[in-house]
């Protein structure tokens, strides 16, 4: 979705009230609710894209959400919190590999979708430095997997995925198998320590050969080159990675210690190449924005010339000194921008329109098409959102339809090619009853666009989706309980009885109840059964048991993880309950305010609505959820099974010891991840923001704190190192000892 770049020293995002000289009014309830809804959608999309490697929304739809949430935050600055997707990079970290902290944060790039936005980026840069920011370096935006390679004394010591920009997955053994990754750098000017950033990809031809080999072996092919690169690089056995024709192109550096640093981006590429690292042979240095436009225009018409998939062009200010002048926002550098190409379009036959049922009962039409390759992906299904959208687009079953795609797994059906109709086409009729449980469909409220299945408790589709969601990274984080397992638990083939009939059964599972289970394999994007390409019949799988009938490793791991999940904090339990509108940010706010599930269940609508980020509509939804008998049964059964239902206050302290104080955390801490430090603060009633202002109570600094430290010194904000932070957490703010700032630092 976005490209990572190295973090530059720069200007922090200013406090809005300081900039405009006025106090910021709280956003109205409707804006808060829409912001929470968008945040949940974006976080789920990030997780599926970056970690599961199985996106469920198009780039265009994702970009629309991001634009809308940015507009909301511009109109209502109090919505711009550290938990907002606009303030974070990437997605949570996979649990498949050990987490590792990047030496310097890997940022995302802001996007430009047309010439006006590109010109706006250049104008902002020119205004900030009061000079021409050129020359520019233009390079292709590779659709691959972002990685960071750390070399110490010229020797490769670590390779990691981007993850959330601060912490990634340690994939060192797998990275070492890539022929483009030297084990040692050569040259007299190699730094003592350097963190190199790049993109791992699978060449288009290699992708085709790999899929042919997989299909010959009776295994499912990858959806597109990016997924194949990500899947190949995350193999637990490096020997499998070594068999894949993965390539690497590097495009930046992060941490740099020792040796004279380069003075320009192009000089950096020359240095990287001289050390034995692969750099692009297609980048170009240009002087003016018109020349940038020429480069963009050329590759828009030649996007299939490179050996890899691209989805745009990255434009960078070439001079490093100017990059430092421009600095960064909280998530992206001001000195670089990604120009995204418009989606590609192809035509194919629409064979049928089917519907899938989601976690909240929403019934979504999907187009089933003659498989076609577009942007390197073989596509045979695409969402049509709802019946109104099908009617608006005028799509008929049997039509030749236009698909629009820009590196997505699920593309958009733009509309029909009406001139090719021959009279055999027929209209799609939205079903009146749920395809999985037979319940009559209905709109939840007047004016809704989406039909829903109201059989919330017993609909097997909704239960399957809720179990999968409860096990997800943002909820209980249960490794081994993926989509296939969720299907097997809730929908085994007859005459087997499902071990899980409601979420209440989840923590009562035993190995005896798991063996053996046979179920149909379903597509996690649509919920529809997958078919065997040879027979056309639904695919079936035996789960939780190996060929001899003994428990599989997946079954053992899942039960171990279920036991571990019982200790998860309260906010994760709240998310796992699938209460409408309750995503991680809202769940955290509730947990911090009430500290126990019982207190939340007993709270009035007014008390709930008074919590930050929760308005009357969300409060009403929470109250309605707890008034349902079988919902309360889930809570009671989970409690009886030992699931944690309350968060304890920090030992020896009142719950709200940091009430009214605002903190900024910057740099790398030894004993805390960024999330852990934030939770330690918010758990005691404090607030964490991303920018330093006169109103900031404390700035907590670790290694490499960057410009936020400088801003704190300039404004006279108290600064705590990690030792001082420990004191503050253990004994309260009065005992905290801020660092003394020297006159030299102040200057």
């Amino acid at each position: 979705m976005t490209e990572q770049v190295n973090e530059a020293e720069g200007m922090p995002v200013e406090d809005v009230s300081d900039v405009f000289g006025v106090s910021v009014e709280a956003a109205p309830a409707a804006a808060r609710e829409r912001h929470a809804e968008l945040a949940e959608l974006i976080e789920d999309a990030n997780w599926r894209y970056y970690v599961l490697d199985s996106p469920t929304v198009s780039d265009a739809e994702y970009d629309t959400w991001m634009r809308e949430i940015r507009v909301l935050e511009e109109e209502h600055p109090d919505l711009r919190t550290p938990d907002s997707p606009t303030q974070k990079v990437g997605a949570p970290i996979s649990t498949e590999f050990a987490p590792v902290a990047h030496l310097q944060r890997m940022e995302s790039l802001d996007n430009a979708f047309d010439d006006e936005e590109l010109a706006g980026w250049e104008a902002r840069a020119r205004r900030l430095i009061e000079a021409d920011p050129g020359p520019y370096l233009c390079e292709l935006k590779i659709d691959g997997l972002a990685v960071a390679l750390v070399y110490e004394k010229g020797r490769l010591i670590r390779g990691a995925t981007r993850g959330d920009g601060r912490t990634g997955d340690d994939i060192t053994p797998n990275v070492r198998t890539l022929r483009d990754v030297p084990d040692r750098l050569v040259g007299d000017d190699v730094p003592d320590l350097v963190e190199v950033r790049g993109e791992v990809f699978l060449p288009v031809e290699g992708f085709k050969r790999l899929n042919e080999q997989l299909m010959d072996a009776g295994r499912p092919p990858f959806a597109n080159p990016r997924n194949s690169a990500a899947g190949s690089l995350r193999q637990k056995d490096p020997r499998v990675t070594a068999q894949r024709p993965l390539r690497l192109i590097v495009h930046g550096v992060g941490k740099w210690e020792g040796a004279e640093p380069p003075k320009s981006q192009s000089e950096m590429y020359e240095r990287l190449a001289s050390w034995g690292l692969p750099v692009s042979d297609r980048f170009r240095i240009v002087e003016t924005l018109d020349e940038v436009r020429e480069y963009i225009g050329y590759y828009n018409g030649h996007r299939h010339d490179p050996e890899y998939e691209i989805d745009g062009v990255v434009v960078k200010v070439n001079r490093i000194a100017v990059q430092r002048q421009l600095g960064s926002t909280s998530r992206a550098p001001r000195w670089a921008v990604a120009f995204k190409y418009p989606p590609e379009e192809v035509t194919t036959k629409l064979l049928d329109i089917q519907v899938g049922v989601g976690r909240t009962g929403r019934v979504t039409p999907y187009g089933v098409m003659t498989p076609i390759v577009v942007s390197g992906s073989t596509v045979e299904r695409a969402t049509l959102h709802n019946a109104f959208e099908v009617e608006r687009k005028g799509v008929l079953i049997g039509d030749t339809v236009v698909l629009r795609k820009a590196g997505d797994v699920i593309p958009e059906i733009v509309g029909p090619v009406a001139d090719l109709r021959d009279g055999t086409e027929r209209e799609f009729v939205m079903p009146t009853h749920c395809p999985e449980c037979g319940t009559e469909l209905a709109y939840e409220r007047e004016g809704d666009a989406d039909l829903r299945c109201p059989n919330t408790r017993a609909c097997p589709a909704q239960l399957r989706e809720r179990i999968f969601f409860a096990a997800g990274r943002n909820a209980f984080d249960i490794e081994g309980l993926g989509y296939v397992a969720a299907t097997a638990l809730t929908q085994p083939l007859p005459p087997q009885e499902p071990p899980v009939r409601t979420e209440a059964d989840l923590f009562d599972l035993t190995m005896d109840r798991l063996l053996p289970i046979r179920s149909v394999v379903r597509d996690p994007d649509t919920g529809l059964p997958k078919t065997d390409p040879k027979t056309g019949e639904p695919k079936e799988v035996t789960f939780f048991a190996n060929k001899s009938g003994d428990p599989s490793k997946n079954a053992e791991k899942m039960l171990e993880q279920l036991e571990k999940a019982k200790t998860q904090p309260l906010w994760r339990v709240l998310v796992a309950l699938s209460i409408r509108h309750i995503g991680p940010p809202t769940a955290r706010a509730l947990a911090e305010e009430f500290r126990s599930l019982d207190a939340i269940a007993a709270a009035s609508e007014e008390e709930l609505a008074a919590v930050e980020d929760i308005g009357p509509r969300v409060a009403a939804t929470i109250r309605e959820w707890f008034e349902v008998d079988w919902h309360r049964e889930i809570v009671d059964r989970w409690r009886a099974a030992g699931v944690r239902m309350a968060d304890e206050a920090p030992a020896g302290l009142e719950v709200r010891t940091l009430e009214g104080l605002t903190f900024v955390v910057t740099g790398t801490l030894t004993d805390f991840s960024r999330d852990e430090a934030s939770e330690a603060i918010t758990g005691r009633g404090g607030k964490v923001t991303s920018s330093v202002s006169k109103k900031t109570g404390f700035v907590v600094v670790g290694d490499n704190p960057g410009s936020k430290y400088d801003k704190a010194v300039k404004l006279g904000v108290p600064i705590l190192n990690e030792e001082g932070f420990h004191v503050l957490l253990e004994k309260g703010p009065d005992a905290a000892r801020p660092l003394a700032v020297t006159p030299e630092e102040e200057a």
Side-chain angles (χ1 to χ4, degrees):
M1 292 182 182
T2 51
E3 179 187 319
Q4 82 298 333
V5 296
N6 58 300
E7 181 178 20
E9 298 288 339
M11 309 173 201
V13 177
E14 303 289 344
D15 183 87
V16 176
S17 60
D18 285 349
V19 172
F20 295 101
V22 296
S23 60
V24 178
E25 295 183 4
R32 288 184 176 278
E33 290 166 18
R34 180 56 179 161
H35 187 276
E37 182 181 1
L38 287 168
E40 185 174 353
L41 288 170
I42 292 166
E43 286 180 359
D44 181 67
N46 281 338
W47 170 247
R48 290 177 179 274
Y49 185 93
Y50 289 108
V51 179
L52 300 183
D53 303 316
S54 57
T56 56
V57 298
S58 68
D59 271 3
E61 189 170 6
Y62 179 89
D63 290 335
T64 299
W65 291 342
M66 285 298 294
R67 283 182 169 186
E68 183 180 353
I69 201 169
R70 285 196 181 103
V71 168
L72 281 172
E73 292 181 0
E74 287 299 321
E75 294 175 348
H76 310 291
D78 62 310
L79 296 177
R80 191 183 290 115
T81 67
D83 283 330
S84 170
T86 66
Q87 306 302 304
K88 296 189 288 188
V89 178
I93 307 305
S94 165
T95 55
E96 291 290 323
F97 299 90
V100 59
H102 296 302
L103 301 183
Q104 193 165 304
R105 182 163 64 101
M106 298 175 73
E107 298 177 305
S108 287
L109 284 179
D110 285 332
N111 295 323
F113 295 93
D114 54 37
D115 186 67
E116 183 179 353
E117 293 183 350
L118 177 67
W121 166 76
E122 188 269 352
R124 286 190 297 274
R126 182 184 294 271
R127 188 167 58 249
L128 281 169
I129 63 173
E130 299 180 344
D132 182 356
Y136 306 97
L137 182 145
C138 302
E139 60 190 4
L140 300 180
K141 188 173 182 299
I142 303 171
D143 192 17
L145 184 73
V147 297
L149 309 177
V150 178
Y151 286 88
E152 192 173 281
K153 302 295 185 183
R155 184 174 64 85
L156 178 66
I157 63 170
R158 186 171 67 237
T161 62
R162 178 177 62 180
D164 65 359
R166 296 190 179 278
T167 306
D169 294 334
D170 191 334
I171 52 170
T172 306
N174 293 15
V175 164
R176 289 185 187 278
T177 69
L178 273 64
R179 68 178 187 180
D180 290 328
V181 178
D183 192 55
R184 288 187 178 275
L185 303 181
V186 297
D188 298 331
D189 57 352
V190 175
D192 295 334
L193 179 70
V194 63
E195 188 178 28
V196 180
R197 275 76 184 275
E199 204 82 10
V200 172
F201 62 92
L202 198 66
V204 174
E205 288 302 316
F207 168 71
K208 293 177 181 177
R209 290 196 302 272
L210 174 59
N211 270 353
E212 289 171 359
Q213 294 169 2
L214 292 172
M215 288 187 286
D216 289 343
R219 297 169 60 189
F222 283 108
N224 58 31
R226 184 203 178 273
N227 282 34
S228 60
S232 300
L233 205 53
R234 286 186 170 121
Q235 291 290 324
K236 292 186 176 179
D237 185 350
R239 292 173 297 182
V240 177
T241 304
Q243 295 169 4
R244 307 280 170 84
L246 295 171
R247 302 296 305 275
L248 167 74
I249 287 181
V250 298
H251 51 60
V253 298
K255 186 74 172 180
W256 178 296
E257 291 182 357
E260 185 68 23
K263 291 182 171 56
S264 67
Q265 193 79 19
S266 53
E267 182 187 335
M268 179 193 298
Y269 288 1
E270 293 173 5
R271 298 271 287 274
L272 292 170
S274 72
W275 300 338
L277 288 161
V279 299
S280 173
D281 59 356
R282 294 178 182 268
F283 77 85
R284 185 186 304 168
I285 307 300
V286 299
E287 296 295 328
T288 68
L289 201 61
D290 283 340
E291 291 176 287
V292 171
R293 294 184 179 103
E294 289 177 11
Y295 182 94
I296 291 171
Y298 176 83
Y299 277 105
N300 189 27
H302 295 79
R303 65 172 76 181
H304 297 297
D305 288 2
E307 61 175 322
Y308 40 78
E309 290 290 335
I310 67 171
D311 60 358
V313 165
V314 177
V315 184
K316 300 176 179 177
V317 170
N318 191 41
R319 291 175 291 171
I320 301 296
V322 179
Q323 290 182 8
R324 292 186 177 278
Q325 278 185 276
L326 289 169
S328 300
T329 66
S330 62
R331 64 182 298 277
R334 296 186 181 93
W335 49 266
V337 68
F339 187 95
K340 301 290 284 289
Y341 284 136
E344 289 189 292
E345 295 183 349
V346 297
T347 59
T348 188
K349 199 78 168 179
L350 180 64
L351 304 175
D352 196 8
I353 297 177
Q354 300 176 2
V355 297
V357 183
R359 174 171 62 100
T360 62
R362 178 188 177 193
V363 179
T364 304
Y366 286 89
V368 180
M369 301 155 295
T370 300
I372 187 169
V373 176
V374 51
S375 293
S377 308
T378 300
V379 176
E380 55 184 324
R381 286 180 176 170
T383 182
L384 283 161
H385 302 291
N386 54 58
F388 293 106
E389 189 72 358
V390 177
E391 183 178 355
R392 184 185 70 81
K393 292 184 175 180
V395 176
L396 302 178
I397 297 171
D399 267 336
T400 296
V401 293
V402 176
L403 292 181
R404 183 165 60 196
K405 185 171 185 290
D408 317 320
V409 172
I410 301 181
E412 176 188 4
I413 294 179
V414 179
V417 184
D419 291 344
L420 296 180
R421 287 175 174 164
D422 59 14
T424 62
E425 298 81 12
R426 68 185 193 279
E427 288 187 5
F428 165 69
V429 179
M430 190 72 178
T432 58
H433 291 74
C434 176
E436 297 211 32
C437 72
T439 302
E440 186 174 0
L441 303 177
Y443 294 107
E444 188 174 51
R445 57 176 62 87
E446 187 177 349
D448 277 359
D450 298 317
L451 278 169
R452 296 182 187 272
C453 171
N455 183 20
T456 311
R457 180 178 189 178
C459 177
Q462 294 182 61
L463 176 60
R464 176 186 69 236
E465 300 295 327
R466 290 199 304 266
I467 292 298
F468 175 59
F469 180 79
R473 179 67 177 82
N474 284 331
F476 280 126
D477 192 16
I478 303 171
E479 189 176 356
L481 183 43
Y483 201 78
V484 176
T487 302
L489 289 172
T490 58
Q491 293 175 280
L493 291 171
Q496 300 170 105
E497 293 295 324
V500 174
R501 295 178 181 274
T502 169
E503 293 96 313
D505 295 328
L506 188 59
F507 290 97
D508 294 334
L509 287 172
T510 63
M511 192 64 76
D512 290 341
R513 298 184 67 188
L514 295 180
L515 299 177
I517 293 179
R518 191 166 181 79
S519 67
V520 170
V521 178
R522 291 179 176 268
D523 187 330
D525 297 328
T526 65
L528 301 176
K530 289 188 175 181
T531 56
D532 188 312
K534 295 180 180 178
T535 65
E537 297 296 318
K539 289 184 180 181
E540 296 181 7
V541 63
T542 300
F543 215 75
F544 302 125
N546 54 31
K547 292 181 179 179
S548 62
D550 296 323
S552 67
K553 290 184 178 179
N554 279 346
E556 293 173 352
K557 177 182 289 185
M558 188 185 76
L559 291 180
E560 291 173 1
Q561 290 290 311
L562 277 167
E563 194 63 31
K564 181 180 177 182
K566 295 177 182 179
T567 64
Q568 292 283 25
L570 177 60
W571 72 266
R572 290 184 175 274
V573 179
L574 279 168
V575 173
L577 289 172
S578 277
I579 304 171
R580 290 284 297 278
H581 310 304
I582 305 300
T586 309
R588 287 177 187 271
L590 286 167
E592 289 162 12
E593 179 68 28
F594 292 100
R595 312 299 299 183
S596 78
L597 199 61
D598 289 341
I600 295 170
S604 66
E605 281 190 33
E606 292 75 16
E607 290 171 325
L608 292 167
V611 178
E612 188 174 3
D613 297 328
I614 297 177
R617 183 182 174 188
V618 176
T621 300
I622 297 170
R623 284 270 19 99
E624 290 168 5
W625 192 92
F626 280 103
E627 288 168 2
V628 177
D629 291 344
W630 68 271
H631 289 167
R632 294 197 300 272
E633 180 190 351
I634 296 170
V635 175
D636 292 342
R637 292 267 301 279
W638 284 5
R639 179 187 286 109
V643 175
R644 175 176 169 177
M645 292 289 163
D647 287 343
E648 296 181 3
L653 286 177
E654 295 295 328
V655 174
R656 317 294 288 185
T657 50
L658 303 182
E659 185 84 59
L661 290 174
T662 301
F663 292 78
V664 172
V665 182
T666 181
T668 303
L669 300 173
T670 303
D671 297 337
F672 301 86
S673 67
R674 186 62 58 91
D675 284 344
E676 288 169 346
S678 296
E679 286 186 8
I681 292 165
T682 56
R684 293 162 171 81
K687 184 177 181 180
V688 180
T689 64
S690 60
S691 60
V692 180
S693 74
K694 294 178 181 179
K695 298 177 182 178
T696 304
F698 292 93
V699 172
V700 180
V701 300
D703 293 336
N704 306 308
S707 60
K708 293 179 183 178
Y709 172 83
D710 298 334
K711 182 70 177 292
V713 171
K714 181 179 178 181
L715 296 178
V717 174
I719 298 170
L720 297 175
N721 60 12
E722 188 159 1
E723 181 182 354
F725 184 50
H726 275 290
V727 172
L728 176 134
L729 296 178
E730 293 168 7
K731 300 181 180 180
D734 292 340
R737 297 187 298 275
L739 296 177
V741 179
T742 65
E744 290 79 10
E745 289 175 303
E746 217 163 277

